[in-house]
Amino acid sequence: MVDDADYADRAFGNLYYPAAIHQSSVEKMRPSQVCLIIILALTLAAAASWGWRTYNEPPSSEHSIFDTIVLLSIPDLSDEDNNLRTDRWNNGQSAYKWLAPFYDALAYSREQTIRVVHYGDSQIEGDRMTFVLRRALQDRFGGNGVGLLPLYQTLDVRTSLQTIQHENRTIAPKVYRAYGPTSYRRSDGLYGPMAQVYIMDNVKVAGSEDLVWNIRTRLNGPESRFTRIRIVAEQDSFVYMPDTVSSYTLYLTGKQLIYGISAETPTGIQVDNIPMRGCAGTIFTHIDSTALSHYFDHTRTRLIIWQFSGNVVPYVKTDQQITHYVNRVKQQIRYLHQVAPAAAILMIGPSDMLYHEGGQRKSYRVLPALDKALQTAAEEERAAYWSLFDAMGGAGSMNEWIQQGLAGQDGIHFTRNGADKAGQLLSDYLLFPINNANGLH
């Protein structure tokens, strides 16, 4: 069902970017300082000792992780060229011309990290579709890790398992989201790149100033190993490992706003899976621009995938309603260009979707017109467009996917096999100009 607070024109709180206060046992820390105290314990028995380092320092064997307290800062990437273009991609005739920043950045993936952020609705929940794309890109261009994760995971995710505890009991820190029920909104309106923020503050949730966070990867691919943890907050922090690991435990202490935690590597491709159930993709303009710009800039995000609109299909029936929705989408794409000027944007429209009429399952009549309108909007807003509707086979193709076990009986969502197929179709689309250098169209 569509998120009424998203699609309907409802009021949102004013947005600003406040400074969080961290209070710890470190003596004489000023109240105005913002920091996150991190004490690490690695669960793998293979590691005998660990070192801490700031971004440019090598690991040190002189300190134990159990007696070291450190505040790590983000690197300065201001000297990076954010306007790479080549004639190969930007020839004005290629369907891929708006993806030039992403393709150009791939040449440097062995030297630095290149990030892809995949936003979508429930169709991508649990790392569906994103998983296949991530593996294809990491296999081809290097990189490890599952990317950005929420502090508290409420979904069954295919690629990782998370727990968070306080004094050996599971605890859910206070969370605010820019989507979903309006009861989850922040009165001051601050959200991060996942359109949500978690509060470490025992005034909000008892014990939340002292948390034990654990991640364990589930599969045996490049996404299952990582060499650093990025704590995405008002001031990012990093934890480095001397070798690749598949599980890790963080002990987090203090007051802080946490946007997410990323399991990653400092080079290669990172792909974030950020699902927003019930969302129509029109909430980005309600996220503080500073928080978004900070993340996209410092993670070298070079591709943002916007995959929404399925949630509005049952409610959009006229040309006027299509125009109203598409105009709101265009505002979002402009805003994403503003906060991520170095990134390409790929829009993905709805899949085929079915409704019941007279005992039969039929494709929503609005889908071809909506898909075309979104494609036109993408071109107008300098974004690439991939039609999932056409890739599936067009109107009525969802019936065939159901018969093949690729979609559920609801006629809306893919099964795991179906999500893998859709993810492979997406990967094939993105890698086509690389695999067919002379086949651009």
Side-chain angles (χ1 to χ4, degrees), residues 3 21 32 40 51 57 77 103 120 138 161 218 249-250 284 340 350 405:
D3 174 6
I21 304 296
S32 61
L40 302 176
E57 295 175 348
L77 305 178
Y103 292 126
Q138 289 182 337
L161 177 66
R218 287 177 157 174
T249 297
L250 294 177
F284 293 95

Coordinates of all heavy atoms in Angstrom, one line a residue, residues 3 21 32 40 51 57 77 103 120 138 161 218 249-250 284 340 350 405:
D3 N 2.5 4.7 0.8 CA 2.7 5.5 2.1 C 2.0 6.8 1.9 O 2.4 7.7 1.2 CB 4.2 5.7 2.2 CG 4.5 6.6 3.4 OD1 3.6 7.0 4.1 OD2 5.7 6.9 3.6
I21 N 25.3 15.7 21.2 CA 26.2 15.9 22.4 C 26.6 14.5 22.8 O 25.7 13.6 23.0 CB 25.4 16.6 23.6 CG1 24.9 17.9 23.1 CG2 26.3 16.7 24.8 CD1 26.0 18.9 22.7
S32 N 30.0 20.3 24.4 CA 29.7 20.7 23.0 C 30.4 19.8 22.0 O 30.1 19.8 20.8 CB 30.1 22.1 22.7 OG 31.5 22.3 22.9
L40 N 36.4 -2.1 20.2 CA 36.1 -3.2 19.3 C 36.5 -4.5 19.9 O 37.5 -4.6 20.6 CB 36.9 -3.0 18.0 CG 36.7 -1.8 17.3 CD1 37.6 -1.7 16.1 CD2 35.3 -1.8 16.8
G51 N 45.2 -3.4 15.9 CA 45.6 -2.0 16.1 C 44.6 -1.0 15.6 O 43.7 -1.4 14.9
E57 N 47.0 6.3 8.9 CA 48.1 5.7 9.7 C 48.0 4.2 9.6 O 46.9 3.6 9.5 CB 47.9 6.1 11.2 CG 48.1 7.6 11.4 CD 47.8 7.9 12.9 OE1 47.3 7.1 13.6 OE2 48.2 9.0 13.3
L77 N 38.4 14.6 0.6 CA 38.4 14.2 -0.8 C 38.1 15.4 -1.7 O 37.7 15.3 -2.8 CB 37.3 13.2 -1.0 CG 37.4 11.9 -0.1 CD1 36.2 11.0 -0.4 CD2 38.7 11.2 -0.3
Y103 N 30.5 5.2 -15.3 CA 31.4 4.4 -16.1 C 32.9 5.0 -16.0 O 33.8 4.2 -16.0 CB 30.9 4.4 -17.6 CG 29.7 3.6 -17.7 CD1 28.6 4.2 -18.4 CD2 29.6 2.3 -17.3 CE1 27.4 3.5 -18.5 CE2 28.4 1.6 -17.5 CZ 27.3 2.2 -18.1 OH 26.1 1.5 -18.3
G120 N 15.0 1.9 -3.2 CA 13.8 1.3 -3.8 C 12.7 1.1 -2.7 O 12.9 1.3 -1.5
Q138 N 31.3 -6.3 -8.1 CA 32.5 -6.6 -7.3 C 33.3 -7.7 -8.0 O 34.5 -7.6 -7.9 CB 32.1 -7.0 -5.9 CG 31.5 -5.8 -5.1 CD 31.2 -6.2 -3.6 OE1 30.9 -7.3 -3.3 NE2 31.2 -5.2 -2.7
L161 N 23.5 -11.0 8.8 CA 22.7 -11.2 10.0 C 23.3 -10.2 11.0 O 24.5 -10.2 11.3 CB 22.8 -12.6 10.5 CG 22.1 -12.9 11.8 CD1 20.5 -12.7 11.6 CD2 22.4 -14.3 12.3
R218 N 26.4 -14.0 5.5 CA 25.8 -15.3 5.3 C 26.3 -16.1 4.1 O 26.1 -17.3 4.1 CB 24.3 -15.1 5.2 CG 23.6 -14.8 6.5 CD 22.1 -14.5 6.3 NE 21.3 -14.7 7.5 CZ 20.1 -14.4 7.7 NH1 19.4 -14.0 6.6 NH2 19.4 -14.6 8.8
T249 N 32.3 -7.5 15.9 CA 31.5 -7.0 17.0 C 32.0 -5.6 17.4 O 33.2 -5.4 17.6 CB 31.5 -7.9 18.2 OG1 31.0 -9.2 17.8 CG2 30.7 -7.3 19.4
L250 N 31.1 -4.7 17.5 CA 31.4 -3.3 18.0 C 30.8 -3.1 19.3 O 29.6 -3.5 19.5 CB 30.9 -2.3 17.0 CG 31.4 -2.2 15.6 CD1 30.7 -1.1 14.8 CD2 32.9 -1.9 15.6
F284 N 12.8 12.4 -0.8 CA 14.2 12.8 -0.7 C 14.4 14.3 -0.4 O 15.3 14.7 0.3 CB 15.0 12.4 -2.0 CG 15.1 11.0 -2.2 CD1 14.2 10.3 -2.9 CD2 16.2 10.3 -1.6 CE1 14.3 8.9 -3.1 CE2 16.3 8.9 -1.7 CZ 15.4 8.2 -2.5
A340 N 24.3 15.3 -4.9 CA 25.3 14.4 -5.4 C 25.7 14.8 -6.8 O 25.4 14.0 -7.7 CB 24.8 13.0 -5.3
P350 N 8.2 1.0 -12.6 CA 7.5 -0.2 -12.0 C 7.7 -1.5 -12.8 O 7.9 -1.4 -14.0 CB 6.1 0.3 -11.9 CG 5.9 1.2 -13.1 CD 7.2 1.9 -13.1
G405 N 7.3 -19.4 -11.3 CA 7.9 -19.3 -10.0 C 8.7 -18.1 -9.7 O 9.5 -18.1 -8.7

